[in-house]
Amino acid sequence: MVLDRGLVFMSDTRTNAGLDNISTFRKMTHWEVPGERILTVMTAGNLATTQAVISLLDERTKAPDDREPSLLKAPSMFQAARIVADTLKDVIAKHNKNGQQAASAFNATIILGGQIKGGPTRLFLVYPEGNFIEAGEDTPFFQIGEMKYGRPILVRAYEPGMSFEEAMRLLLVSFDSTLKANLTVGLPFDYHLYSDGSHELGKNGRIGVDDAYFQTVSQGWGDALKTALDSLPTFDLD
């Protein structure tokens, strides 16, 4: 999510291959050169694909030469998005050639956001085909994975001038609505709050199942919905 003051990221940690095979994996990764750049990546889709992409991107940041493009050496966020997009496309193509022929089986989508010194804060959505789009005034936030249950809340309540605290509340309500309707989304949630111009990792952490604030928000949102529904005029059958 793009705010006037920076970027807000949140991801769940649930992956599953059926109701009896549910696991927890981190879907948010950071690369940082304090004072020079910070890049945050979130992933959704085939776990083997996303893990391969993150591993390749991370290995290239540690390589001693420039034979492979590195996120830590990209001159701009646009070029960083191209690196992520090309890596995702190559990984999917390699998996398809080596076995499974159903292209959708290895698909994944990625959100990339951050800032490189000398350029603005930017947020991109990367598709499995290797192309990407950038967030702007008309599309100030991106969602990947299971999105249909939580999206209406973001569309109705998002404001670019909101504080980080207000944005966290909004995202938790959106995620709460999603996880109550879909078993593929679940706690804990990882988050990162990036302040524009800081060029370093911002406030970040994990919200667990027993988090008192999340329980308060979840219960309060449910109660508020019931109160709002009761306050509306009932349907007149006559």
Side-chain angles (χ1 to χ4, degrees):
M1 178 183 295
V2 180
L3 301 179
D4 291 342
R5 64 197 61 210
L7 298 173
V8 180
F9 303 88
M10 185 174 288
S11 62
D12 82 315
T13 53
R14 176 169 291 183
T15 64
N16 72 293
L19 294 179
D20 59 346
N21 185 17
I22 297 175
S23 303
T24 297
F25 285 90
R26 185 175 179 88
K27 302 177 185 178
M28 184 185 298
T29 307
H30 313 286
W31 287 276
E32 176 190 23
V33 179
E36 196 273 328
R37 71 181 60 205
I38 174 67
L39 298 99
T40 294
V41 163
M42 297 191 299
T43 61
N46 180 274
L47 184 60
T49 298
T50 58
Q51 287 194 334
V53 170
I54 295 302
S55 295
L56 281 171
L57 293 172
D58 193 53
E59 284 184 0
R60 291 169 183 171
T61 64
K62 302 170 184 176
D65 52 48
D66 295 326
R67 286 181 294 178
E68 296 288 351
S70 167
L71 291 177
L72 296 187
K73 297 179 182 179
S76 67
M77 283 300 300
F78 178 82
Q79 293 300 327
R82 289 188 61 183
I83 292 173
V84 173
D86 290 344
T87 304
L88 175 59
K89 182 180 179 180
D90 291 345
V91 167
I92 292 175
K94 183 177 180 180
H95 283 176
N96 287 335
K97 288 180 181 179
N98 291 342
Q100 173 65 254
Q101 295 301 307
S104 61
F106 296 109
N107 276 357
T109 49
I110 293 176
I111 289 176
L112 165 69
Q115 188 174 24
I116 295 174
K117 195 168 184 178
T121 298
R122 301 177 76 175
L123 184 69
F124 298 92
L125 173 59
V126 182
Y127 295 103
E129 293 79 10
N131 53 343
F132 55 87
I133 60 175
E134 183 175 3
E137 290 186 8
D138 294 329
T139 308
F141 58 84
F142 289 133
Q143 293 174 277
I144 53 178
E146 180 52 71
M147 65 181 72
K148 58 182 175 289
Y149 301 105
R151 183 174 180 80
I153 296 167
L154 299 180
V155 171
R156 287 177 178 270
Y158 166 84
E159 293 289 344
M162 61 175 46
S163 67
F164 283 144
E165 293 83 357
E166 291 169 335
M168 283 290 292
R169 180 179 61 191
L170 173 59
L171 287 178
L172 286 175
V173 169
S174 177
F175 267 86
D176 179 63
S177 298
T178 303
L179 67 85
K180 280 184 167 55
N182 194 299
L183 291 176
T184 64
V185 177
L187 290 151
F189 301 143
D190 293 317
Y191 68 90
H192 173 214
L193 311 175
Y194 173 70
S195 296
D196 184 31
S198 66
H199 301 100
E200 62 183 15
L201 189 67
K203 182 70 175 180
N204 66 94
R206 173 167 285 191
I207 296 173
V209 177
D210 299 326
D211 184 88
Y213 176 71
F214 176 72
Q215 296 301 329
T216 299
V217 168
S218 178
Q219 183 62 48
W221 178 245
D223 293 342
L225 284 176
K226 295 175 184 177
T227 300
L229 181 61
D230 291 339
S231 68
L232 297 174
T234 54
F235 183 75
D236 186 356
L237 288 174
D238 296 327

